[in-house]
Amino acid sequence: MDWLFRFPQLDPDLLLAVKRFIDGSLRTFTRAYGAAIESSFYPLQRILIFFENVATGAPWPIVIIVLASIAWLCARSRSVVLSVIGVLIAIGLLGLWQDAMRTISLVFTATIFAIAIGIPLGIILNRFRRVGGVMQTILDIMQTMPPFVYLIPVVMLLGIGRVPGFIAVVIYAIPPIIRLTDLGIRLVDKEVLEAADAYGCSRQQKLFKVQLPLALPTIMAGINQTIMMALGMVVIASMIGVQGLGLNVLQAIANQYFTQGIFNGFAIVGIAIIFDRISQAYGQRLQKHRGSAHE
């Protein structure tokens, strides 16, 4: 009766041989092509360094004015602008300005790349059913897989540093923008599409002049979630050399520095509030504009 309480297993020797074969193949591939792969990402490294230098090298009043101006243009709300200014001043007073700018530059760059990759993939997901089914499965796996798992293949291929962390952040944060781009296109009213067909719009014109503009509020919700997931991944990515507030949190955990962890956690939450308020307010403005257009 022991077989009822012990689940049958594969032959341990066979399982060990399979694991060794897979791990050995990956190591061989990394040794043979790792340098070439790493050199191919050099332009990306220069882009990341550029944005980081701009964020950390700019005078702090200019940074506050620029971010407050962006908040006003997107939200047209005094409360949002004041909250952005207040959070940035609080971060500076805590002595976390430089680290916060590194984190903001990383999240900003990762969001741009996620948008540039995610929106086209969302369109493909919406247009091609067979490819979309495969993509849905991949997205389900990506969103249920523990974040730490993303670090393993990236580190094996590219080692430790700024670029591997950035790639891990983009991969982890990209599913929402893909899904909500697809959802936004599917939610466009059929009557509007029928009117576009009646006016003789081609499939491409209907996509870029009708569906995507009307789907923008939903896409903005996807961008908002992408930003939040990128910020959540920043702390984990610090394990492979990404500098900024996440690295400070990791050091606080390792050395049991309670106040350092709390202050840096506050700064990360503050940055999340800034991005969340700006993106949500802009999405609401688009929603109101869409509603007035329908009327």
Side-chain angles (χ1 to χ4, degrees):
M1 295 294 290
D2 290 344
W3 64 274
L4 288 174
F5 300 95
R6 294 182 181 180
F7 200 89
Q9 297 181 357
L10 294 174
D11 182 8
D13 294 333
L14 175 62
L15 192 59
L16 181 60
V18 172
K19 290 179 179 179
R20 286 178 176 175
F21 173 76
I22 295 173
D23 292 340
S25 300
L26 289 174
R27 290 192 190 98
T28 303
F29 178 83
T30 302
R31 289 167 187 165
Y33 302 103
I37 294 173
E38 189 172 352
S39 62
S40 67
F41 283 98
Y42 179 75
L44 177 59
Q45 183 178 6
R46 299 308 306 170
I47 292 172
L48 295 175
I49 292 173
F50 171 76
F51 278 107
E52 183 176 312
N53 290 339
V54 169
T56 57
W60 65 266
I62 301 298
V63 174
I64 292 178
I65 291 172
V66 169
L67 291 177
S69 301
I70 293 173
W72 173 255
L73 291 173
C74 292
R76 298 297 173 87
S77 170
R78 292 181 181 178
S79 61
V80 173
V81 174
L82 291 176
S83 64
V84 169
I85 295 173
V87 167
L88 291 174
I89 291 175
I91 289 173
L93 292 175
L94 291 175
L96 301 173
W97 183 263
Q98 292 294 320
D99 291 325
M101 292 302 104
R102 291 189 182 96
T103 299
I104 288 175
S105 67
L106 175 66
V107 172
F108 176 75
T109 312
T111 302
I112 291 176
F113 273 77
I115 292 171
I117 299 171
I119 291 179
L121 288 178
I123 295 172
I124 293 173
L125 178 64
N126 179 266
R127 286 300 178 91
F128 304 101
R129 292 186 178 180
R130 292 183 179 179
V131 178
V134 176
M135 288 180 62
Q136 287 281 12
T137 304
I138 295 173
L139 290 173
D140 291 339
I141 295 172
M142 289 175 66
Q143 290 190 294
T144 54
M145 188 177 292
F148 291 96
V149 178
Y150 292 106
L151 305 181
I152 299 172
V154 175
V155 171
M156 287 186 68
L157 290 175
L158 299 173
I160 293 175
R162 185 183 284 106
V163 173
F166 170 82
I167 293 174
V169 171
V170 172
I171 293 174
Y172 180 73
I174 202 172
I177 185 66
I178 297 175
R179 288 189 184 277
L180 287 173
T181 298
D182 169 50
L183 178 64
I185 295 173
R186 284 193 284 109
L187 289 178
V188 175
D189 293 339
K190 292 182 179 180
E191 292 82 1
V192 177
L193 298 179
E194 290 173 357
D197 290 331
Y199 279 103
C201 289
S202 64
R203 193 174 183 183
Q204 186 175 0
Q205 289 175 329
K206 189 164 60 174
L207 173 65
F208 289 101
K209 293 185 178 181
V210 179
Q211 290 175 301
L212 285 180
L214 292 177
L216 269 179
T218 308
I219 294 174
M220 280 303 304
I223 293 173
N224 177 273
Q225 291 187 26
T226 293
I227 294 171
M228 296 301 106
M229 293 184 72
L231 273 169
M233 189 64 178
V234 162
V235 178
I236 299 174
S238 65
M239 298 177 65
I240 57 173
V242 174
Q243 296 183 347
L245 297 171
L247 181 59
N248 294 344
V249 173
L250 186 65
Q251 291 173 347
I253 294 172
N255 298 296
Q256 299 182 3
Y257 294 152
F258 177 75
T259 53
Q260 178 181 338
I262 291 296
F263 287 165
N264 283 273
F266 162 78
I268 293 174
V269 171
I271 293 172
I273 291 173
I274 290 175
F275 283 116
D276 180 69
R277 292 285 179 86
I278 293 174
S279 57
Q280 274 199 4
Y282 186 63
Q284 289 173 0
R285 283 187 60 211
L286 289 174
Q287 192 71 42
K288 290 179 181 178
H289 179 72
R290 179 180 175 180
S292 61
H294 279 299
E295 294 174 0

